[in-house]
Amino acid sequence: MATDDDRSTLDGAALARAVALLRAGELVAFPTETVYGLGADAADPLAVRRVFAAKGRPADHPLIVHVAGVGAAERFAVLDGRARALAAAFWPGPLTLVLPRRPAALDEVTGGRDTVGVRVPRHPVALALLRAFGGGVAAPSANRFGRVSPTRAEHVREEFGEEVFVLDGGPCAVGVESTIVDLSRPDRVGLLRPGGVPVEAIEALVGPVEPGGVAAPGTLPAHYAPRTALRLSRDPEAEAARLRQRGLRVAVLRAGEPEDHARRLYAELRRLDALGVDVLVAEVAPDSGLGAAINDRLRRAARGANGG
Ligand code: AMP
Ligand code: MG
């Protein structure tokens, strides 16, 4: 999907450099429509280990393999009829499928599981990178472990400085991570993480989606966290007034139209976090569609933040 920012179009020299780095076993931060990823050649175990080291991420949290299309996904995973239907409807797009793995899915990527998560992102720069590279790119979000996900190139630079080359694709159009669906069992569809594709749209194609599924160790209760304490409220102005009466300095994050709210959520959390107030109060979003993903991230952010 095009964004209103011309950095979503291609810079040929930067793209060539990113491909060369991936081939050399180095890391590349790249834009997707959800958040920026910290990518490595999914076929290179040492490169994949560098991702965990750079993030400070526990080795048993599996990475998503990003590919240019269904054909490339099939090199890493076994797709059944449900997977094909979802891929046809939502790829390229913010949907990750957890599927039985093939041998090309390395233990370093899957955390030694018999499943692998695969996705075709929709951002034109991500797709161009994946096509030019030709292989799979294993990538988590390009932030230090547990912190707020990056939705702009400058957020990645704030996290990693000169340590990592950043392919700049402008601000992310969706702004929250992919929906993760577990299709590893033939008899059930499990929701591992709400995200950019509404669960309701998935259910319309493959029937009821149950919460949970195979263990997804990356989905921690405390995650996506600002440093400032964060509270959720359905009436944020009243909550802010109460806290101010107690002498606390408060900043408020209002909800609003879900697509727009999702797009600016992480940038707003970063901006408000930098104000140096005592408490952030975030308005709870309506709990359907993209709102479910927004509330999921806010709840985890509240648990991970200081005092929250
Ligand atoms: P991140 O890239 O930080 O958004 O995290 C990717 C998340 O995808 C992981 O933390 C897991 O929750 C999930 N995931 C990826 N691959 C698998 C898998 N094979 N089985 C279960 N969950 C997975
Ligand atoms: Mg992440």
Side-chain angles (χ1 to χ4, degrees), residues 266-288:
Y266 290 137
E268 280 294 280
L269 281 177
R270 281 171 185 269
R271 185 181 70 77
L272 296 173
D273 202 17
L275 294 177
V277 298
D278 301 306
V279 189
L280 306 179
V281 177
E283 182 176 10
V284 176
D287 218 6
S288 62

Side-chain angles (χ1 to χ4, degrees), residues 29-275:
F30 66 102
T32 80
E33 73 278 20
T34 61
V35 304
Y36 274 70
L38 183 63
D41 178 357
D44 180 339
L46 289 178
V48 173
R49 280 190 210 147
R50 286 206 177 105
V51 174
F52 289 89
K55 279 196 64 139
R57 179 174 169 113
D60 67 340
H61 289 198
L63 304 184
I64 294 167
V65 179
H66 296 73
V67 289
V70 175
E74 271 168 330
R75 299 211 298 268
F76 295 93
V78 181
L79 282 73
D80 63 9
R82 301 168 305 170
R84 277 172 212 291
L86 291 175
F90 300 114
W91 283 357
L95 177 67
T96 297
L97 302 178
V98 170
L99 299 166
R101 77 194 263 191
R102 291 191 197 274
L106 301 176
D107 281 342
E108 282 77 3
V109 172
T110 67
R113 277 171 197 76
D114 50 12
T115 56
V116 62
V118 287
R119 170 165 111 84
V120 179
R122 173 169 83 193
H123 194 295
V125 174
L127 276 176
L129 175 69
L130 293 167
R131 286 192 187 119
F133 176 58
V137 172
S141 50
N143 53 277
R144 307 266 179 196
F145 181 66
R147 311 307 310 186
V148 179
S149 304
T151 51
R152 294 170 175 266
E154 46 275 30
H155 297 163
V156 184
R157 292 192 198 104
E158 281 164 27
E159 300 267 339
F160 294 105
E162 299 302 303
E163 207 182 308
V164 175
F165 175 70
V166 187
L167 202 50
D168 190 343
C172 300
V174 175
V176 291
E177 291 82 353
S178 59
T179 305
I180 307 181
V181 163
D182 171 28
L183 296 175
S184 63
R185 276 175 44 182
D187 56 336
R188 76 187 286 282
V189 181
L191 178 68
L192 299 181
R193 176 174 78 187
V197 172
V199 170
E200 296 86 339
I202 294 167
E203 292 191 314
L205 279 180
V206 294
V209 174
E210 299 164 38
V214 292
T219 53
L220 297 175
H223 205 160
Y224 314 101
R227 290 181 169 80
T228 314
L230 173 67
R231 289 187 180 213
L232 306 198
S233 173
R234 295 198 184 271
D235 188 351
E237 299 302 345
E239 176 71 7
R242 268 194 295 278
L243 292 165
R244 286 187 184 113
Q245 263 171 4
R246 286 165 43 191
L248 296 168
R249 287 162 303 155
V250 185
V252 174
L253 173 60
R254 299 301 303 263
E257 188 277 316
E259 282 193 13
D260 182 56
H261 187 30
R263 197 178 293 127
R264 61 189 174 78
L265 178 67
Y266 290 137
E268 280 294 280
L269 281 177
R270 281 171 185 269
R271 185 181 70 77
L272 296 173
D273 202 17
L275 294 177

